[in-house]
Amino acid sequence: MFNFNIEFFGYFAAILTTLAFLPQLIKTLRTKKAEDVSLLTLIMFLTGVFSWIIYGYKISSTPILSANIITFILNLLILIFKITFSKY
Amino acid sequence: MFNFNIEFFGYFAAILTTLAFLPQLIKTLRTKKAEDVSLLTLIMFLTGVFSWIIYGYKISSTPILSANIITFILNLLILIFKITFSKY
């Protein structure tokens, strides 16, 4: 029961910190701008998340691997759209 | 040597995904606006990071605990300044 609670917080945390970037992606697509979103934050965060993917692969952790792959894709799309929209 | 490499990726990942929010905080303070930053993303992310803090505390993991406390503070400040600046 105690273990269940610990695991629950871990999964809840992983799901939230992963899906949190979906509203940012939707907002960026809807407003067609992400001027206020820091480019350096996106680059540092993507590099960090990519390192988590390598770490998750090396220690064979499916939760770390899967959560970070989704986070990476969402943030890469935010970066791509930020750059695309900034040209106009 | 192999273990050193694994640990290196873990620490490198943790440092980058934590400090990544510092440029966003500086940019928000400098431009005095964070209109394009999604409020829902910040709320979901803060809730997720808070859950990571509880998880880190429960499993007695100092790296998870410390990295997420810093991430929480940085994002809470971004949220506070976003709300403050949106009033003008």
Side-chain angles (χ1 to χ4, degrees):
Chain A
M1 190 60 178
F2 187 59
N3 279 326
F4 166 78
N5 285 336
I6 296 175
E7 290 302 300
F8 169 78
F9 276 108
Y11 283 110
F12 184 69
I15 291 166
L16 270 181
T17 51
T18 298
L19 294 186
F21 299 101
L22 201 57
Q24 182 64 62
L25 179 62
I26 294 167
K27 187 186 175 94
T28 304
L29 281 171
R30 194 169 45 79
T31 60
K32 297 205 186 304
K33 68 190 187 74
E35 196 191 304
D36 301 340
V37 177
S38 165
L39 182 68
L40 191 54
T41 286
L42 285 172
I43 292 166
M44 285 174 72
F45 194 68
L46 279 167
T47 310
V49 170
F50 188 76
S51 304
W52 278 126
I53 293 170
I54 296 169
Y55 181 77
Y57 176 78
K58 286 201 175 199
I59 67 161
S60 305
S61 166
T62 308
I64 292 180
L65 204 52
S66 51
N68 282 288
I69 286 171
I70 298 167
T71 307
F72 189 85
I73 294 167
L74 290 174
N75 277 277
L76 187 64
L77 288 172
I78 294 166
L79 176 67
I80 290 168
F81 289 123
K82 174 184 166 61
I83 294 167
T84 308
F85 294 142
S86 71
K87 287 175 182 167
Y88 300 100
Chain B
M1 192 60 179
F2 187 60
N3 280 326
F4 166 78
N5 285 337
I6 296 175
E7 290 301 300
F8 169 78
F9 277 109
Y11 283 110
F12 184 69
I15 291 166
L16 270 181
T17 51
T18 298
L19 295 185
F21 300 101
L22 200 58
Q24 181 64 62
L25 179 62
I26 293 166
K27 186 186 175 95
T28 304
L29 280 171
R30 195 169 44 80
T31 61
K32 296 206 187 302
K33 70 190 185 76
E35 197 190 304
D36 301 339
V37 178
S38 166
L39 182 69
L40 192 54
T41 286
L42 285 172
I43 292 167
M44 285 174 73
F45 195 69
L46 279 168
T47 311
V49 170
F50 189 76
S51 304
W52 277 126
I53 293 170
I54 296 169
Y55 180 77
Y57 176 78
K58 285 201 175 199
I59 68 162
S60 304
S61 166
T62 308
I64 293 180
L65 204 53
S66 52
N68 282 287
I69 286 171
I70 298 167
T71 307
F72 189 85
I73 293 167
L74 290 173
N75 278 277
L76 186 65
L77 289 172
I78 295 166
L79 176 68
I80 290 168
F81 289 123
K82 175 183 164 63
I83 294 168
T84 308
F85 294 143
S86 72
K87 286 176 185 168
Y88 299 100

